Amino acid sequence: MTGNTKKFHVISLGCPKARVDTEYILGRLVAEGYEYSDDISECDYVLVNTCAFINPAKEESIDTLFGARSEMKPGARLVAVGCLAERYGDVLTAEMPEVDLWVGVSALDSLPGVLEQTGLMRRAGGSWIPAGLEPRIPSLSENWAYLKIAEGCNRSCAFCAVPGIRGQQKSLPPDLLVREAQRLADMGARELVLIAQDLTIYGADIGVTLEDLVKKLNEISGLQWIRLLYLYPGPNVGSLVERLLSHEKVLPYVDIPIQH
């Protein structure tokens, strides 16, 4: 790296879906020549991938932003990305001048090109979904990784803010996901954890099913286990789970959130 290379740090808060967004942010910035550092005090940019699902999450995000600012060097830029920016950016841009830039989930594809801008970056239409094999740097154990197969949600649960933040469900095409899964397996992942707001209805918007996807993932070389998170209960979820478990790599573990 040259002496002119800009250094950055990323703090990731919130759910596994946000963690995947963080890994794409890491990949994009490094691909564009930025250098990652664990030392906030030497960084030119500090990005906090925020959460706004419930009040404690919102408070944690705000506290983390203030804490990051207190450690940063003069002239460094603090960037709030993700759900807090998407949901509350209009208000917080005025209330928190300590933050230089707010980038909602709908505008994550604009990074790193907007890092020098100020204010709020947000678009209509819900979340950014990477198209093709975007640069991605895994940030968890080398033995497992999240595979985000859909974004947003079509349900209108009274307790949940996700549709208002991340929009309606958008499923990623199976072929794209298989390529991403193979890339993660080639990087050392032996277990893939499938995540979405609701795995049960994956593919309903693009004419495929979760079972179609799992069949293809089951054939990936190097992959040993597939784990399923966030299956909403419904009239057919029992038979769906039975069919999925017929594939040898699918672990006998299903996460069904109790509040649903």
Side-chain angles (χ1 to χ4, degrees):
M1 295 290 181
T2 68
N4 294 324
T5 299
K6 297 290 189 178
K7 293 185 178 182
F8 75 100
H9 183 79
V10 180
I11 302 171
S12 190
L13 305 175
C15 67
K17 296 182 291 297
R19 169 65 68 167
V20 173
D21 291 342
T22 294
E23 294 178 353
Y24 282 118
I25 291 169
L26 285 166
R28 279 198 161 198
L29 290 174
V30 169
E32 290 294 324
Y34 293 79
E35 179 183 353
Y36 181 81
S37 173
D38 283 324
D39 185 354
I40 290 179
S41 66
E42 70 174 15
C43 289
D44 303 287
Y45 306 94
V46 175
L47 294 85
V48 179
N49 194 358
T50 59
C51 182
F53 187 67
I54 55 177
N55 279 334
K58 179 176 68 173
E59 293 167 359
E60 180 188 23
S61 294
I62 291 173
D63 289 344
T64 301
L65 287 164
F66 281 128
R69 173 56 79 186
S70 70
E71 298 182 47
M72 294 167 61
K73 67 182 182 181
R77 293 180 62 80
L78 178 59
V79 183
V81 305
C83 290
L84 189 73
E86 189 73 29
R87 190 177 187 187
Y88 297 110
D90 290 325
V91 174
L92 294 177
T93 48
E95 293 186 352
M96 294 181 63
E98 295 83 0
V99 178
D100 297 293
L101 175 65
W102 300 81
V103 182
V105 292
S106 59
L108 289 178
D109 63 329
S110 64
L111 293 170
V114 299
L115 285 177
E116 298 302 327
Q117 297 189 28
T118 299
L120 174 63
M121 297 291 296
R122 196 170 59 191
R123 301 194 188 107
S127 297
W128 163 60
I129 296 183
L133 290 177
E134 293 276 348
R136 177 180 175 184
I137 297 178
S139 60
L140 303 169
S141 165
E142 64 181 13
N143 296 318
W144 68 281
Y146 291 121
L147 183 67
K148 181 160 64 170
I149 68 172
E151 187 58 275
C153 186
N154 294 340
R155 300 181 186 269
S156 55
C157 301
F159 56 81
C160 184
V162 167
I165 298 173
R166 292 184 173 257
Q168 294 292 289
Q169 176 169 300
K170 299 180 182 69
S171 301
L172 279 75
D175 290 346
L176 184 153
L177 291 169
V178 169
R179 293 198 301 272
E180 175 71 357
Q182 184 64 69
R183 178 172 66 161
L184 292 169
D186 292 343
M187 295 171 68
R190 295 296 169 256
E191 176 180 332
L192 287 183
V193 183
L194 272 55
I195 56 171
Q197 191 63 25
D198 180 8
L199 291 180
T200 312
I201 57 172
Y202 163 78
D205 53 325
I206 58 174
V208 297
T209 68
L210 180 61
E211 188 176 9
D212 295 332
L213 173 62
V214 169
K215 284 180 181 178
K216 294 182 177 183
L217 295 177
N218 195 67
E219 300 301 319
I220 288 179
S221 61
L223 183 64
Q224 296 179 352
W225 303 293
I226 299 169
R227 189 182 298 270
L228 306 172
L229 291 184
Y230 305 143
L231 275 81
Y232 279 51
N236 300 316
V237 70
S239 59
L240 172 64
V241 169
E242 288 182 4
R243 295 195 304 275
L244 293 174
L245 289 175
S246 68
H247 300 286
E248 60 180 4
K249 294 182 181 179
V250 177
L251 291 170
Y253 169 94
V254 175
D255 182 289
I256 299 181
I258 190 65
Q259 70 265 33
H260 303 319

